[in-house]
Amino acid sequence: MSNMNIALTNSFRKIELDVTEIKRMLAALSDQFKNQFASNIIDEDVNMIQKSIVEQSALDRITESVKRSQVIEYPDQLGKRTNDTNSEEFEGKKVSDRLNVLLQRLHTKDWQLFCKDIPDDQQKPPLVPTSQRDLESKRVQLKSLARSLKHDLIDLDHPDVLKNWKDIPANDRDFYMLRLEKLANDKGFQIYQCKRMWCAKSLLRESFKSDNQTHRRRVANQQDPDSSDSINEAFEDMGRDESPIIADVPSPPPEVANEPSRKRTRRRS
């Protein structure tokens, strides 16, 4: 059985479970609806409404599953994967450093493609490496795309608050990585050139780790609201550029402020 058939079979099984759950929810809503409007609606109308909703929901899920299977079946639609991240440049480096290497490579490749269009008798512009500041900005943009994809799509498909990237079904992981590559390419980041979808995988895995750490910290803070972590998180929520509120202390009157300290001390005594 091909990967396409396996993906379709798994999708249909999920659809069957979804339809069963929809029917159960509709039955509960139907009972509640009839109890509230029993005099104004008949069973035949309720059954027709239920059937229409189930059919439309099932059709939407089938359409979405077919689209996803097509994406997974052709993972190189954006272009060839020429960046091998198994080289020594990536070995032993943390994710941020590996992203820097990849971004510099992509920048160099863009420069090479630009120079190809320049006639041989004209001087080609020098290759200027991407600055550390720009690299950091690009990493932030990529991480933001990964977080948005996780929150807007993955968390809807897999609503468990605590979950690990490795526990997501393989076909779903492939689709999410390809989807992230598409989103990144739309923003000018050609991370689809990575073999084995390394960049997208690393970004999504880090999003899972970050969300899990945030959730565990919040649970711990709820149990111990006076902990230093809780206070630090409260300041983090205020934003980096904001400062904690400090109460205004009124200044002493000018005549008091100008008095010698010894006189003020005796007067207080």
Side-chain angles (χ1 to χ4, degrees):
M1 185 180 292
S2 67
N3 292 336
M4 182 68 169
N5 290 334
I6 293 174
L8 286 173
T9 300
N10 293 336
S11 297
F12 285 131
R13 288 176 180 171
K14 186 176 186 302
I15 291 169
E16 290 176 354
L17 295 175
D18 290 340
V19 171
T20 301
E21 178 63 15
I22 291 171
K23 288 181 177 179
R24 185 193 66 78
M25 295 174 62
L26 284 173
L29 288 172
S30 174
D31 292 339
Q32 180 182 354
F33 191 72
K34 285 191 293 185
N35 290 336
Q36 187 172 358
F37 304 102
S39 60
N40 298 323
I41 192 167
I42 60 177
D43 290 339
E44 183 178 353
D45 293 333
V46 173
N47 293 334
M48 185 177 297
I49 294 172
Q50 287 180 339
K51 183 179 179 181
S52 176
I53 294 175
V54 169
E55 289 177 350
Q56 185 60 47
S57 298
L59 181 61
D60 291 343
R61 281 171 167 75
I62 292 172
T63 302
E64 178 64 19
S65 296
V66 171
K67 288 181 179 178
R68 291 191 180 195
S69 297
Q70 289 174 340
V71 171
I72 296 170
E73 186 71 10
Y74 303 100
D76 298 337
Q77 294 183 36
L78 294 176
K80 292 183 179 180
R81 299 182 181 275
T82 56
N83 254 303
D84 192 351
T85 52
N86 282 342
S87 62
E88 294 181 358
E89 286 182 280
F90 294 89
E91 188 175 353
K93 288 184 169 65
K94 60 184 181 179
V95 174
S96 59
D97 292 335
R98 297 176 76 183
L99 284 174
N100 284 346
V101 174
L102 175 63
L103 290 169
Q104 289 285 17
R105 279 189 177 186
L106 296 176
H107 173 69
T108 300
K109 189 169 184 178
D110 288 341
W111 173 81
Q112 291 171 343
L113 291 174
F114 177 78
C115 289
K116 278 186 177 181
D117 296 331
I118 299 177
D120 294 336
D121 58 346
Q122 294 184 16
Q123 184 176 3
K124 295 177 173 58
L127 173 61
V128 179
T130 306
S131 67
Q132 288 298 317
R133 181 176 181 178
D134 287 342
L135 287 173
E136 182 178 356
S137 174
K138 291 180 178 181
R139 290 201 316 269
V140 169
Q141 293 179 62
L142 287 171
K143 290 179 180 179
S144 177
L145 286 174
R147 284 196 302 269
S148 297
L149 179 65
K150 180 180 182 297
H151 297 160
D152 297 340
L153 180 59
I154 301 177
D155 288 347
L156 295 180
D157 291 343
H158 305 277
D160 292 340
V161 176
L162 282 175
K163 52 182 174 288
N164 297 311
W165 170 249
K166 65 180 181 180
D167 297 328
I168 303 297
N171 282 333
D172 286 352
R173 290 202 305 267
D174 288 344
F175 174 75
Y176 299 142
M177 288 187 289
L178 292 168
R179 179 62 179 162
L180 179 56
E181 288 182 342
K182 175 64 168 60
L183 293 173
N185 187 60
D186 292 342
K187 297 293 184 180
F189 299 100
Q190 298 175 327
I191 64 172
Y192 67 82
Q193 296 180 15
C194 290
K195 293 183 177 180
R196 298 171 297 280
M197 296 182 282
W198 167 81
C199 184
K201 181 188 298 183
S202 297
L203 291 167
L204 288 171
R205 187 190 292 128
E206 289 297 309
S207 293
F208 274 70
K209 289 181 180 179
S210 177
D211 281 357
N212 287 343
Q213 291 172 356
T214 300
H215 175 74
R216 292 190 180 100
R217 186 168 64 246
R218 286 175 177 171
V219 171
N221 291 341
Q222 289 173 359
Q223 296 173 353
D224 184 11
D226 296 329
S227 67
S228 59
D229 286 342
S230 178
I231 297 173
N232 290 335
E233 182 173 313
F235 284 136
E236 288 176 4
D237 291 340
M238 295 171 63
R240 290 184 178 181
D241 298 330
E242 297 182 24
S243 302
I245 299 174
I246 301 175
D248 292 332
V249 179
S251 302
E255 61 273 12
V256 176
N258 294 329
E259 279 186 317
S261 58
R262 283 184 300 174
K263 285 185 178 181
R264 291 203 303 270
T265 301
R266 285 198 297 269
R267 189 172 298 175
R268 285 198 298 270
S269 63

